Amino acid sequence: MTVEAEAGRLRTEADEPGWEVDPDDEWGVAVIATVGRQLKLRREAVGIRAAEFGTAVGYGEDMVYKIEGGKRIPRQEYLVKADEVLGAGGLIAATWEDVKKVRYPKKVRELAKLEAQAVEIGLYECHIIPGLLQSPGHAKALFEARQPPYSPDEVERMVAARMARRSVFERSPAPAISFVLEEAALRRPIGGTMVWRQQLERVLEVGRLHNVVIQVMPLHTDTHSGMDGRIELLKFPDGTAVGRSDGAFNGRPTSDPKQLRVLELRYATIRAQALSPKESLALIEQLLGES
């Protein structure tokens, strides 16, 4: 295919997908259905057929019908172009403010909301590098390895959602964030050598932020209180907190003061056994040099 032909080819569901709507996300379903209905009504009001409209916005007719039917989440570029084609004066483009609130899975949105409110975040991971620290390539390799497998569309959506959570590092005022990572997870070359190097570089980059502390649990450590799974603690401005641990309270989130004290004790013990922040960054730099 020539460059000219490629440039003029309509994007379809296969090569430029709009993400699928999660049927269990009632709010998301309602928002996307409303936006789709508005698009359809405006298109019909100006007398443009779906195929003609698709050509004008650069998408296939099948994608136009799916977006208008509330089956697919439109991208921002689609809404902006649709606004221009339909002469909506910015009203359609403005619906992106609603769409972007539901474009990621419900569970991810809820977690991101908590992280955006927290003044302190503490996280220990025993098998993987935490999502907040993952590079795009690393996250993609992890999602592609899931069984049963995700579709390419689902992989793209999950990676984008995970990357969006990284905005927590850009907040002002900045929250205090601490991580404890297992050395074994840092040594695993997920995604190949290049992706592995990029992941180590990302961990170092975050670890050098003034509000972030990264510690590594070395391989030679015997046992510690996080052997049975991850521990996560989030504290909020009003003094409340929420925590979760794979190895306590059935793995469910808890805000009970007594249960939170248990998780805080476990996390504090793990941090005491891990390498210091300076030693941890030095180890990661060493691994990067060996990769």
Side-chain angles (χ1 to χ4, degrees):
M1 182 179 290
T2 66
V3 174
E4 291 78 8
E6 177 67 25
R9 183 169 61 89
L10 294 181
R11 287 166 291 187
T12 65
E13 181 178 351
D15 59 8
E16 190 72 20
W19 292 324
E20 291 183 358
V21 180
D22 181 357
D24 296 325
D25 181 3
E26 294 182 3
W27 181 40
V29 168
V31 169
I32 300 307
T34 299
V35 171
R37 189 159 50 248
Q38 291 177 8
L39 282 163
K40 181 179 180 180
L41 290 173
R42 284 188 172 275
R43 176 178 62 77
E44 292 178 341
V46 297
I48 300 179
R49 295 177 179 274
E52 181 185 355
F53 177 73
T55 300
V57 298
Y59 283 77
E61 183 179 2
D62 59 335
M63 180 60 74
V64 172
Y65 281 127
K66 287 186 177 182
I67 290 176
E68 291 183 350
K71 303 299 182 183
R72 285 275 172 167
I73 301 173
R75 295 172 184 261
Q76 184 177 20
E77 64 178 56
Y78 182 97
L79 296 173
V80 170
K81 188 64 178 177
D83 192 284
E84 295 175 358
V85 172
L86 299 176
L91 293 177
I92 289 179
T95 62
W96 174 248
E97 293 303 311
D98 295 317
V99 172
K100 72 180 182 180
K101 295 175 183 177
V102 299
R103 69 192 188 279
Y104 300 133
K106 183 178 179 180
K107 289 184 178 180
V108 178
R109 297 200 311 265
E110 292 173 346
L111 176 57
K113 183 178 180 180
L114 289 175
E115 291 171 343
Q117 296 171 344
V119 293
E120 292 184 38
I121 299 174
L123 182 62
Y124 161 75
E125 279 284 7
C126 57
H127 300 302
I128 65 171
I129 293 173
L132 283 176
L133 293 177
Q134 289 176 13
S135 67
H138 184 97
K140 183 174 185 288
L142 288 178
F143 285 124
E144 288 179 337
R146 294 287 181 90
Q147 293 294 334
Y150 284 142
S151 68
D153 180 21
E154 291 171 321
V155 169
E156 180 193 18
R157 188 184 189 199
M158 296 303 293
V159 170
R162 184 157 290 180
M163 294 305 102
R165 286 174 54 207
R166 303 199 307 188
S167 62
V168 70
F169 297 115
E170 302 167 2
R171 279 175 46 197
S172 180
I177 308 176
S178 65
F179 298 95
V180 180
L181 318 178
E182 287 287 346
E183 181 181 344
L186 290 167
R187 287 185 175 275
R188 187 169 292 119
I190 291 174
T193 301
M194 183 58 67
V195 172
W196 180 33
R197 285 186 58 84
Q198 292 171 345
Q199 179 57 72
L200 293 175
E201 289 171 349
R202 174 60 185 171
V203 175
L204 283 172
E205 177 186 7
V206 176
R208 294 179 178 128
L209 296 176
H210 74 281
N211 61 311
V212 177
V213 173
I214 289 180
Q215 293 177 258
V216 175
M217 186 67 73
L219 283 171
H220 60 69
T221 301
D222 187 2
T223 58
H224 58 75
S225 58
M227 299 296 290
D228 53 1
R230 79 196 307 258
I231 296 174
E232 186 173 16
L233 290 163
L234 294 92
K235 298 183 180 181
F236 306 103
D238 61 0
T240 60
V242 63
R244 185 173 72 83
S245 173
D246 293 337
F249 319 121
N250 297 316
R252 297 174 180 171
T254 179
S255 56
D256 178 84
K258 291 183 179 179
Q259 294 179 345
L260 285 171
R261 281 197 291 273
V262 172
L263 299 184
E264 288 172 349
L265 176 60
R266 292 186 179 186
Y267 187 61
T269 303
I270 290 171
R271 293 191 67 183
Q273 289 179 267
L275 298 176
S276 70
K278 183 176 181 180
E279 293 171 329
S280 297
L281 293 183
L283 174 59
I284 298 170
E285 289 174 344
Q286 178 185 330
L287 292 176
L288 183 58
E290 296 173 356
S291 64

